[in-house]
């Protein structure tokens, strides 16, 4: 049985947008959708007697949230199997646990109760930073959310740490029947430029060539496994954060890898992924590679 797409819902506009995106995504892959609302109502309203006919107000709200989200999902695509559950746990812990039995996790960019000035809600950031499987944070403009660009963007990392992200990107491009753009950013250190200029050499050529070779190594196996995917590769000089942000405006999904170190319990998210989660113009998938 295929593992579901697990969507964190809380009744916010962001989570409802995530529900819509997840249903469309599930339909492409033939997967079920599982909607999860995490609430600690049992802890805060545990004084209500078990035989009381009055249900706690927080539980009533939670049940309403998941029921409304499930109805929305079924209206969007009646052919996608939808299930929903209220889990008496904090949101981050609940989603991290659910992610162990999910194809991947889906969250909105900001949840109910988050400060309006936040670019990304604390739950989405924590889940994307700690999950052991892929996480998609749904954000961006209408064109990206509707998938009208027909293009997926992969920020290519190192061959040793980017394999899972590459496989995820090729599967996604194949399911959508769209173009996969793979970008490898590179930079020439200033001190190398100064040293080599005295020798009448072009240091940028060496760094660009190395970036191209790394890109070929990273994609070699996936290209053979997915021969039908339309692939475009490019190496670009500049900071990876800026390069990928600029290109996200023409993408339906931006995918980057993240390294997970065993025994490390804190946030594990590099500067590039952190920036993209806050500022990209399309949904962002963080795909971890276990170290």
């Amino acid at each position: 049985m295929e593992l579901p797409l697990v969507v964190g819902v809380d009744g916010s506009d962001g989570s409802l947008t995530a529900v819509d995106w997840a249903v469309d995504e599930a339909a492409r892959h033939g997967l079920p959708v599982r909607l999860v609302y995490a609430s600690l109502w049992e802890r805060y309203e545990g004084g209500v007697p078990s035989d009381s006919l009055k249900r706690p107000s927080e539980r009533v709200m939670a049940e309403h949230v998941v029921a409304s989200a499930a109805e929305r999902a079924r209206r969007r695509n009646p052919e996608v199997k939808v299930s929903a559950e209220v889990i008496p746990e904090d949101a981050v812990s609940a989603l991290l646990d659910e992610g162990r039995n999910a194809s991947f996790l889906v969250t909105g960019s900001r949840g109910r109760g988050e400060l309006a000035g936040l670019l990304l809600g604390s739950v989405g950031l924590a889940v994307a930073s700690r999950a052991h499987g892929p996480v998609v944070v749904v954000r961006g403009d209408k064109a990206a959310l509707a998938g009208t660009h027909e293009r997926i963007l992969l920020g290519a990392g190192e061959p040793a740490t980017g394999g899972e992200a590459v496989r995820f990107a090729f599967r996604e491009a194949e399911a959508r029947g769209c173009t996969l753009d793979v970008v490898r950013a590179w930079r020439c250190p200033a001190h190398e430029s100064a040293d080599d200029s005295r020798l009448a050499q072009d240091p940028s050529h060496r760094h660009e060539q190395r970036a191209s070779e790394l890109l070929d190594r990273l994609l070699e196996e996936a290209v053979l496994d997915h021969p039908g995917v339309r692939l475009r590769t490019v190496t670009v000089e500049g900071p990876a954060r800026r390069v990928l942000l600029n290109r996200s405006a023409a993408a339906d999904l931006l995918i980057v890898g993240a390294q997970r170190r065993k025994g490390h319990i804190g946030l594990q998210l590099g500067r590039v992924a952190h920036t993209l989660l806050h500022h990209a113009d399309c949904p962002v998938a963080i795909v971890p590679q276990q170290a």
Side-chain angles (χ1 to χ4, degrees):
M1 180 178 178
E2 294 284 357
L3 296 176
L5 302 188
V6 173
V7 190
V9 298
D10 63 2
S12 66
D13 290 343
S15 77
L16 294 179
T17 300
V19 169
D20 292 344
W21 188 93
V23 170
D24 294 345
E25 180 73 0
R28 295 186 191 102
H29 293 273
L31 298 173
V33 168
R34 175 169 163 78
L35 307 176
V36 173
Y37 181 95
S39 171
L40 292 173
W41 60 267
E42 285 187 337
R43 177 182 300 176
Y44 299 122
E45 302 190 11
V48 178
S50 59
D51 59 348
S52 173
L53 297 178
K54 182 180 179 181
R55 290 183 300 165
S57 59
E58 179 68 17
R59 180 175 183 176
V60 171
M61 187 194 73
E63 292 174 349
H64 173 72
V65 166
V66 295
S68 297
E71 181 182 356
R72 182 186 181 100
R74 294 183 181 110
R75 286 201 311 266
R76 188 164 185 93
N77 192 327
E79 296 183 3
V80 172
K81 183 179 179 181
V82 177
S83 61
E85 185 177 358
V86 178
I87 299 177
E89 198 173 352
D90 73 273
V92 174
S93 297
L95 289 174
L96 291 176
D97 288 343
E98 289 286 327
R100 299 181 186 279
N101 294 295
S103 291
F104 57 89
L105 292 169
V106 182
T107 75
S109 59
R110 189 169 61 243
R112 180 171 59 90
E114 300 284 2
L115 296 176
L118 291 177
L119 297 174
L120 176 64
S122 58
V123 171
L125 182 60
V127 171
S129 301
R130 294 166 53 189
H132 288 273
V135 177
V136 176
V137 175
V138 178
R139 55 173 302 116
D141 57 25
K142 291 182 178 179
L145 296 174
T148 57
H149 296 298
E150 297 185 348
R151 178 176 293 109
I152 287 175
L153 177 62
L154 170 64
E158 296 296 323
T161 60
E164 290 298 329
V166 168
R167 286 185 280 274
F168 185 94
F170 270 83
R171 289 194 299 268
E172 191 64 32
E174 192 168 61
R176 293 173 179 245
C178 70
T179 298
L180 174 58
D181 283 343
V182 185
V183 178
R184 169 81 187 193
W186 60 273
R187 302 186 73 178
C188 180
H191 70 275
E192 286 193 27
S193 178
D195 291 343
D196 290 353
S197 64
R198 293 194 297 269
L199 300 175
Q201 295 177 348
D202 181 7
S204 62
H205 175 72
R206 183 172 67 254
H207 287 278
E208 183 177 17
Q209 184 177 30
R210 179 176 181 274
S212 181
E213 291 171 353
L214 287 173
L215 197 56
D216 289 342
R217 284 170 48 201
L218 182 66
L219 302 177
E220 183 178 12
E221 183 177 332
V223 168
L224 295 176
D225 291 339
H226 303 272
V229 171
R230 299 192 302 274
L231 180 66
R232 298 196 310 186
T233 62
V234 62
T235 58
V236 181
E237 182 178 11
R241 289 175 290 176
R242 187 185 68 203
V243 169
L244 294 173
L245 278 179
N246 289 343
R247 291 171 177 259
S248 70
D252 298 322
L253 179 64
L254 170 54
I255 301 166
V256 292
Q259 193 168 12
R260 297 287 188 262
R261 295 177 177 85
K262 293 182 179 179
H264 188 92
I265 60 175
L267 301 184
Q268 300 186 62
L269 201 65
R271 287 184 297 173
V272 173
H274 193 278
T275 299
L276 298 176
L277 287 171
H278 283 82
H279 299 286
D281 291 319
C282 66
V284 178
I286 305 297
V287 183
Q289 182 88 16
Q290 303 301 324

